[in-house]
Amino acid sequence: MMSFKAGRWLALAACMAAVSVPVMAAEETGEPTHAQAALPTVPLTITSAGGVKHVFTVEKAMTPREQQVGEMYRPSVPADGGMIFVWPFPRQSDMWMQHTQASLDIVFIGPDNRVSSIVENAVPLSLARISSHGPVRATLELQAGITEKLGIVVGDRVDSAVLNTGSSPK
């Protein structure tokens, strides 16, 4: 049988543990139900082997929640816009189009800041896994069809301040 003093200690410890656990609102942890507000942007340039430059202004999805929501529930992506997901270290990147209404071109950026692969015209609302098939530094979502229209291909160089740090910038 537990003594009264030991019981009070356990109750106090349980209360302290409950207080020290961070509490997040359901909208920060649950299934996304709406588009997120526009995120901070950064210029990004993709340069072809022939020296042709394509300039975009992309939103930076940096926190786990921003990355989870991504482009969900947005009806369109501007031709000169998009969203970049920068990983803290090169890693496999797997994306999906759940709740994403607009078709996208998904550009995987290797550790050398070059396009390592492209998935064009990803199907809206699909749960199919879209994989980088190897470690990448970042994943870039652009308007569907823009990579073909501009001639962006594997090996093109990607430059942006968001890629110039050793870890994901905040």
Side-chain angles (χ1 to χ4, degrees), residues 5-65:
K5 189 173 183 179
R8 282 187 7 187
W9 170 249
L10 286 174
L12 178 60
C15 287
M16 289 176 64
V19 170
S20 66
V21 173
V23 176
M24 297 179 76
E27 61 270 5
E28 295 176 10
T29 59
E31 182 71 22
T33 58
H34 58 277
Q36 63 187 331
L39 301 173
T41 61
V42 63
L44 180 138
T45 303
I46 300 176
T47 306
S48 71
V52 177
K53 295 181 182 286
H54 306 287
V55 179
F56 300 89
T57 300
V58 297
E59 293 179 61
K60 302 181 300 182
M62 304 308 291
T63 70
R65 182 59 176 188

Side-chain angles (χ1 to χ4, degrees), residues 40-48 52-62 71 77-87 105-110 113-115 118 137-143 146-147 150 152-153 156-164 169:
T41 61
V42 63
L44 180 138
T45 303
I46 300 176
T47 306
S48 71
V52 177
K53 295 181 182 286
H54 306 287
V55 179
F56 300 89
T57 300
V58 297
E59 293 179 61
K60 302 181 300 182
M62 304 308 291
E71 300 274 5
V77 176
D80 64 346
M83 186 174 289
I84 191 164
F85 304 75
V86 180
W87 313 123
D105 283 356
I106 300 178
V107 179
F108 295 102
I109 303 166
N113 287 358
R114 294 196 175 272
V115 174
I118 301 171
R137 172 80 173 104
T139 302
L140 175 64
E141 295 178 340
L142 299 172
Q143 182 185 76
I146 201 75
T147 56
L150 299 178
I152 295 169
V153 297
D156 286 355
R157 176 119 186 114
V158 183
D159 293 299
S160 178
V162 74
L163 297 171
N164 293 340

Side-chain angles (χ1 to χ4, degrees), residues 61-100:
M62 304 308 291
T63 70
R65 182 59 176 188
E66 291 168 351
Q67 293 168 349
Q68 177 191 14
V69 178
E71 300 274 5
M72 287 181 180
Y73 297 102
R74 294 183 178 182
S76 63
V77 176
D80 64 346
M83 186 174 289
I84 191 164
F85 304 75
V86 180
W87 313 123
F89 53 87
R91 65 169 211 167
Q92 173 81 19
S93 177
D94 294 315
M95 309 297 276
W96 67 91
M97 297 289 288
Q98 180 181 22
H99 306 303
T100 305

